[in-house]
């Protein structure tokens, strides 16, 4: 049963949400605004230009970097989610509270670790293991630091789940596998999606860890942008971010409306 | 459950497509071919047109990576893992890398264009005889200020920063050596001083500066000065040049007690695979016309005397960025103070940052 | 039972991850913490941590992390609540996450522009006649931007928790005569406390090691443990001291986990 579908959105709620969205998007619009600036910086708006966007078309290297970033983000989020879900299931299945808490604490160490330390220690690990620095090492690292957050977002859902559900299913003759796929997974799906998107966010945002473990020409957007800091970010980065941002928005809207249509077709059972 | 599986399959498919796109792009750009040169440089620190030109002229494919701090760069080189053929550290880092045996000596026979470098910038303490490095860009540390915001204020010496009228107006670079060095210089000491008494004096003097400090930032100080967020900043000359390009009110001055002379030099790390191509590239960059074009893009000061002839005379005659030999004699290059002293400097600096409240 | 074998099989990747990427780095970090800057085995680093400078830094980090978590919570909770009452919940949720995919450095630069002397807030203040104020490099701007960055992380778990509440509970409470506030206090909030805890963990713990934001927005007027670690690892290359601070961070994390650990059963 879903919470409160019937209660109308109060005007207060609407205003509050709008205010939050305005604040959330203010910097983004700031960046988009200046991506059209013919003056080179984000301070004085001199005039309108599309030159920054045009310069993107020529920059093959930047394109490869963007694609690298997406590939790493998607793949690491996928794998991290899978491993994380199993990890959450594992922690959930421990009977002793002590084991639970120990493993959970171990799980969270990477969240608390400063990126620099993670990056440095992973680098040492990879060097000892002789792993070639580049796509693989970055991917492994991103999976590594995304797993904890998936666990943290899936576990509460597992804990909330009433054991009676499982008992009922078993009583009705479900096998272990069916309990897993027909009862548990559907229940924790929101947690899984949350974990996936957080993992995506962690990956897209990361700079320090990626910087340390990358090599042989492999670079992500964050590393490139941070390296520009000493010299100043030129507005083609603004243009790039705008393009990526719009692209993401369009994807989301399309995805959502596709979803809506499929729901209408199945005559609205449960969401 | 079905929704989950569908979602994952779609994502996996999209990832596959992206991977395919990457590999085909890499191939079309020639990254997978044999003769490559891997360069590790600061962000936006070379005219990429020159990179393309080099590739066209020699057929060597360049793999380009960037870093944002000397220490991060050194950590990566130390750990191995990637074989960089060329790196561009700052002078104090070169000293360190030299001592830790991380560099390959350069074969000057392969670098005939070395003759065009101003002698002032050769054979400096951090790399005697330029055994391991070649100057790339150089500059100074000084004071930038906006005269229109501070009428009647002159900045001739470091001491002028302590003016009580400048409350909350100053931005400092986030660098222990630079700031402690500034403290030392203002007392007449060398900025390589390690005498604990002098350091304590400098620290005390710096603490008195605290009310005037608005922020201690790294690279963002350029942005802040451009926006007139502060009236005064202690900056590197390269940054100052960039700011003055955007905001014409601003002026730059090197204090008379002395200051820091910094260099970014090109080196070949020990783990380099293509030493031959590395030499070719260095010689290419030393060519006066190439250096001139690069300098026009990067806008820092070039050590290439011959290149100056091909550049805009206004830029070249600007004493602020091309100070006379008399002035550069007064400036000091950072010496490697050793780990222990460096640690002391950094601890002092950390305390200094925390003191401000 | 053959399901146990299956379960163990599934757990292997996770267990592997823990050993390789959690336990091994901890051992590495602990190992390094016992070496001083000259490379000799010593407890000097630990001694150094207990000096006023570092203790002050620790307290300051905790204080800021607490403030950031607190403000994130009081802003995120109502947001999550309002979200659950809209029609296209998942869409709005996604839209809240999307800004966090824009690069942090870029957003920080945008904030430098926004909070600057000539940015919109100050222009508004000018128009009101109050005059421009120094917004950047203050505690306010630092906490504001940090909360901005962490908000999606706090909203997500709370939203998930809220979303699962059966509305029958709410109806029952109202039927029994409870006011909206009482319903919230006695029914809604306690049932979502797990989500709140998760959110706090995801925000508080990383907030202790913030170093990018302290540099960019706080202008290094705020020094967290993360800043110090970054300095030691990169600038001084005193991996020993950096590792020591990291050890303490890990210990603090364990303590926090124990203090806020889950003990109960479901409803």
């Amino acid at each position: 049963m879903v919470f409160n579908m019937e209660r109308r959105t109060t005007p207060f709620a609407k205003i509050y949400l709008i205010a939050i969205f305005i604040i959330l998007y203010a910097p983004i619009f700031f960046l988009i605004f200046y991506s059209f600036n013919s003056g080179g910086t984000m301070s004085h708006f001199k005039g309108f230009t599309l030159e920054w966007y045009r310069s993107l078309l020529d920059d093959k290297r930047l394109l490869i970097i963007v694609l690298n970033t997406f590939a790493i983000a998607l793949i690491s989020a996928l794998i991290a989610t899978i491993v994380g879900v199993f990890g959450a299931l594992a922690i959930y299945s421990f009977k002793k509270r002590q084991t639970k808490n120990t493993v959970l604490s171990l799980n969270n160490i990477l969240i608390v670790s400063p990126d620099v330390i993670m990056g440095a220690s992973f680098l040492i690990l990879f060097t000892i293991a002789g792993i070639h620095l580049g796509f693989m090492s970055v991917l492994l690292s991103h999976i590594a630091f995304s797993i904890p957050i998936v666990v943290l977002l899936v576990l509460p859902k597992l804990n909330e789940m009433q054991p009676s559900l499982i008992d009922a299913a078993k009583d009705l003759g479900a096998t272990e596998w069916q309990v897993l796929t027909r009862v548990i997974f559907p229940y924790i799906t929101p947690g899984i999606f949350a974990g996936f998107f957080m993992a995506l966010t962690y990956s897209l945002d990361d700079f320090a860890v990626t910087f340390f473990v990358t090599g042989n020409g492999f670079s992500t957007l964050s590393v490139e942008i941070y390296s520009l800091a000493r010299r100043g970010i030129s507005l083609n980065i603004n243009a790039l971010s705008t393009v990526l941002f719009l692209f993401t928005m369009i994807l989301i809207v399309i995805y959502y409306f596709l979803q809506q249509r499929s729901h209408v077709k199945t005559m609205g059972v449960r969401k | 459950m079905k929704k989950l599986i569908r979602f994952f399959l779609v994502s996996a498919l999209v990832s596959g497509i992206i991977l395919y796109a990457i590999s085909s792009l890499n191939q079309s750009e020639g990254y997978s071919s044999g003769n490559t040169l891997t360069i590790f440089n600061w962000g936006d620190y070379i005219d990429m047109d020159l990179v393309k030109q080099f590739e066209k002229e020699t057929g060597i494919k360049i793999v380009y990576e960037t870093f944002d701090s000397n220490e991060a760069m050194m950590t990566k080189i130390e750990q191995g893992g990637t074989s960089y053929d060329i790196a561009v550290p700052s002078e104090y880092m070169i000293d360190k890398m030299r001592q830790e045996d991380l560099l390959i000596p350069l074969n000057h026979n392969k670098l005939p264009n070395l003759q065009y470098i101003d002698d002032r910038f050769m054979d400096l303490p951090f790399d005697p005889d330029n055994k391991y490095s070649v100057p790339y860009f150089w500059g100074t540390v000084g004071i930038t200020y906006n005269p229109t915001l501070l009428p009647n204020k002159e900045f001739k010496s470091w001491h002028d920063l302590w003016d009580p009228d400048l409350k909350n107006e100053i931005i400092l670079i986030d660098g222990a050596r630079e700031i402690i060095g500034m403290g030392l210089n203002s007392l007449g000491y060398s900025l390589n001083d390690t005498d604990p008494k002098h350091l304590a004096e400098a620290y005390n003097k710096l603490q008195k500066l605290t009310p005037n400090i608005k922020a201690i930032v790294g690279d963002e100080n350029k942005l802040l000065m451009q926006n007139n967020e502060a009236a005064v900043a202690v900056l590197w000359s390269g940054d100052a040049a960039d700011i003055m390009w955007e905001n014409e009110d601003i002026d730059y001055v090197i204090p008379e007690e002395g200051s820091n002379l910094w260099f970014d030099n090109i080196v070949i790390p020990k783990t380099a695979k293509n030493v031959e191509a590395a030499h070719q590239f260095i010689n290419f960059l030393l060519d006066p016309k190439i250096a001139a074009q690069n300098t026009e893009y990067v806008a820092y000061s070039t050590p290439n005397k011959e290149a100056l002839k091909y550049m805009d005379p206004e830029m070249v005659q600007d004493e602020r960025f091309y100070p006379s030999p008399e002035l550069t004699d007064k400036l000091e290059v950072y010496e490697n103070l050793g780990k222990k002293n460096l640690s002391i400097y950094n601890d002092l600096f950390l305390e200094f940052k925390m003191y401000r409240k | 039972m053959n399901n146990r074998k299956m379960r163990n099989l599934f757990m292997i990747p996770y267990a592997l991850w823990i050993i390789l990427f959690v336990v091994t780095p901890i051992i590495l970090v602990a190992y390094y913490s016992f070496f001083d800057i000259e490379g000799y085995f010593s407890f000097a680093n630990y001694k150094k941590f207990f000096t006023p400078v570092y203790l002050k830094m620790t307290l300051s980090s905790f204080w800021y992390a607490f403030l950031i978590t607190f403000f994130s919570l009081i802003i995120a909770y109502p947001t999550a609540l309002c979200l659950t009452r809209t029609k296209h919940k998942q869409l709005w949720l996604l839209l809240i996450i999307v800004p966090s995919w824009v690069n942090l450095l870029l957003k920080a630069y945008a904030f430098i522009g926004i909070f600057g002397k000539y940015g919109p807030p100050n222009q508004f203040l000018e128009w009101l006649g109050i005059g421009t104020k120094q917004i950047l490099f203050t505690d306010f701007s630092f906490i504001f931007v940090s909360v901005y960055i962490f908000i999606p992380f706090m909203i997500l778990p709370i939203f998930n928790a809220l979303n699962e509440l059966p509305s029958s509970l709410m109806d029952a409470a109202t039927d029994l005569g409870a006011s909206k506030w009482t319903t919230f206090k006695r029914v809604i909030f306690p049932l979502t406390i797990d989500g709140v805890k998760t959110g706090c963990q995801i925000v508080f713990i990383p907030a202790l090691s913030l170093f990018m934001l302290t540099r960019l927005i706080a202008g290094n007027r705020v020094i967290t443990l993360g800043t110090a670690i970054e300095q030691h690892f990169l600038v001084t290359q005193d991996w020993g001291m950096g590792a020591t601070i990291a050890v303490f961070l890990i210990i603090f994390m364990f303590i926090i986990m124990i203090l806020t650990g889950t003990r109960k059963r479901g409803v």
Side-chain angles (χ1 to χ4, degrees), chain B residues 306-327:
Chain B
E306 195 66 21
L308 298 179
K309 301 202 185 124
Y310 297 101
M311 288 168 48
D312 180 2
E314 217 183 288
M315 218 178 156
V316 167
Q317 284 157 12
D318 192 337
E319 271 256 332
R320 297 171 298 186
F321 301 109
Y322 289 94
S324 60
E326 296 85 45
L327 194 48

Side-chain angles (χ1 to χ4, degrees), chain A residues 138-189:
Chain A
V138 176
L139 185 64
L140 287 174
S141 310
H142 281 227
I143 296 176
F145 65 61
S146 296
I147 291 183
I149 194 78
V150 175
V151 171
L152 275 189
L153 286 171
V154 173
L155 202 54
K157 291 256 133 210
L158 279 175
N159 286 334
E160 271 170 24
M161 200 172 53
Q162 286 149 352
S164 48
L165 267 176
I166 306 188
D167 295 337
K170 287 213 192 131
D171 284 344
L172 288 169
T175 66
E176 290 285 338
W177 177 254
Q178 281 175 320
V179 171
L180 199 63
T181 56
R182 301 285 196 94
V183 182
I184 300 187
F185 269 111
Y187 193 88
I188 61 175
T189 299

Side-chain angles (χ1 to χ4, degrees), chain A residues 30-53 234-236 238-239, chain B residues 246:
Chain A
F30 187 90
L31 289 173
I32 298 181
F33 178 66
Y34 278 103
S35 68
F36 298 105
N37 186 10
S38 63
T41 67
M42 289 201 257
S43 38
H44 307 254
F45 195 87
K46 287 215 183 102
F48 186 88
T49 176
L50 283 176
E51 69 175 280
W52 305 111
Y53 289 89
S234 63
L235 294 178
N236 66 338
N238 286 47
Chain B
E246 291 292 330

Side-chain angles (χ1 to χ4, degrees), chain A residues 217-263:
Chain A
F218 186 83
S219 188
T220 60
L221 201 52
S222 277
V223 173
E224 279 304 298
I225 295 182
Y226 277 86
S227 305
L228 287 175
R230 193 215 210 195
R231 296 268 307 151
I233 296 194
S234 63
L235 294 178
N236 66 338
I237 300 291
N238 286 47
L240 180 63
S241 296
T242 308
V243 171
L244 293 177
F245 176 74
L246 287 176
F247 181 66
T248 317
M249 292 300 249
I250 296 178
L251 270 184
I252 291 180
V253 172
I254 294 181
Y255 170 74
Y256 199 74
F257 279 112
L258 280 180
Q259 277 243 317
Q260 288 296 84
R261 280 179 55 210
S262 74
H263 270 135

